[in-house]
Amino acid sequence: MLCGLIHSMAPESGRQSPVEIRPVGDRALLAAFENRIDPVVSNQVLNLKWALEQQSHDGIEEIVCSYRTLLIYYDPLSLTFNALSDLVHNLLRENIGPAAPQRRWRIPVCYGGAAAPDLENLAQAHGLTAEEVIDIHGATLYRVYLVGFSPGWTFLGGLDERLHTPRLATPRAEVPAGCISIGGQQGMIGGLAMPSGWNLIGQTPERTYAPERKAPFFMAAGDEVEIRQIDKTEYAHLASKAAQGLRVSEALHDTE
């Protein structure tokens, strides 16, 4: 069984970074890059995913990417772990180029009000006003690192350091779908309603997961997110459209 550490070149930085290859059960392989939230590491994950997708190998069933890992599900009757490990090693040694350009989305967000019970406390903790928090949060260009954990939950990197805030000591039993929240150095766009200990500062009418749509998820790792601030009236209007299965976010630089 072939597993262990190899080194892969990061084109953005020109330096070598370690990659660990290991089995997960009897039908998956995990490629784990450096343990940090960083666009260079994320690009390495996405580049490997893209390179594998170009192979069109019948034995590869699904590829799932996260912040720093790529999980490759395969059919053990068609492809062995060793053969897949060799393929991954070879692709990494080839210093694979960048994946296809990702997309940028402009997401409507309504800040404050009942959907933002943590806004005032978060602002006070940083010596800011609620309006300053909104301005800082809304002016940031975010990177999608992960869509998952629960359907549609979208984890964002690039949060301004002035807004880095620990999670709540006691999680809430339920936060609403579409919640806009902060946890540590990350931002979040909520999918389905569920428990969460992140700080709630607003809400989007967008449905990041809609099973009735042709594409239930429209954002993916590597995408970028801009925020367009809206008021309660526009929120209600867009929420009614979203309830009909329509996407209410604007696609910028969409490669689809």
Side-chain angles (χ1 to χ4, degrees):
M1 182 174 290
L2 301 175
C3 55
L5 288 175
I6 61 174
H7 287 80
S8 173
M9 181 68 76
E12 296 84 351
S13 64
R15 63 183 178 81
Q16 298 283 350
S17 60
V19 185
E20 182 183 1
I21 306 295
R22 63 176 182 267
V24 178
D26 62 355
R27 57 184 310 122
L29 176 149
L30 185 75
F33 294 80
E34 289 185 82
N35 187 16
R36 55 193 174 92
I37 301 175
D38 186 277
V40 171
V41 175
S42 177
N43 284 339
Q44 288 179 287
V45 172
L46 295 174
N47 291 348
L48 178 57
K49 178 178 183 289
W50 175 82
L52 284 165
E53 289 171 342
Q54 307 314 301
Q55 300 294 312
S56 300
H57 200 296
D58 291 339
I60 296 177
E61 297 180 333
E62 185 179 5
I63 304 174
V64 181
C65 56
S66 181
Y67 288 87
R68 70 177 191 100
T69 62
L70 197 70
L71 184 63
I72 308 164
Y73 291 95
Y74 63 93
D75 178 2
L77 298 180
S78 303
L79 182 64
T80 67
F81 173 84
N82 284 355
L84 180 56
S85 181
D86 284 342
L87 175 60
V88 171
H89 279 74
N90 290 335
L91 288 173
L92 290 171
R93 290 194 182 98
E94 289 174 4
N95 295 330
I96 50 181
Q102 301 299 302
R103 301 154 299 181
R104 180 179 296 183
W105 304 97
R106 183 172 291 145
I107 309 292
V109 172
C110 183
Y111 291 99
D118 302 311
L119 179 59
E120 290 291 345
N121 287 339
L122 187 150
Q124 292 177 13
H126 293 288
L128 301 169
T129 65
E131 290 73 20
E132 287 172 328
V133 170
I134 292 170
D135 288 343
I136 295 169
H137 188 272
T140 301
L141 177 63
Y142 297 93
R143 179 189 179 95
V144 177
Y145 278 93
L146 171 69
V147 178
F149 180 71
S150 177
W153 281 73
T154 306
F155 293 76
L156 307 175
L159 181 69
D160 192 295
E161 290 185 1
R162 290 172 291 178
L163 300 185
H164 289 188
T165 309
R167 301 181 191 186
L168 302 176
T170 303
R172 292 184 172 89
E174 183 177 290
V175 297
C179 62
I180 300 297
S181 55
I182 290 173
Q185 66 184 49
Q186 299 174 83
M188 173 91 78
I189 303 174
L192 300 177
M194 63 173 288
S196 175
W198 291 48
N199 300 273
L200 305 183
I201 63 170
Q203 191 170 17
T204 177
E206 184 61 86
R207 297 172 67 197
T208 54
Y209 170 62
E212 71 277 12
R213 286 194 307 238
K214 181 179 179 180
F217 308 96
F218 68 90
M219 285 190 283
D223 287 357
E224 294 179 326
V225 170
E226 294 181 4
I227 288 175
R228 181 175 71 86
Q229 187 174 348
I230 60 175
D231 59 20
K232 294 179 180 180
T233 301
E234 186 174 4
Y235 178 94
H237 171 68
L238 294 178
S240 66
K241 295 178 66 175
Q244 300 171 34
L246 300 176
R247 194 184 72 202
V248 297
S249 297
E250 183 181 358
L252 311 173
H253 313 307
D254 195 338
T255 61
E256 293 185 333

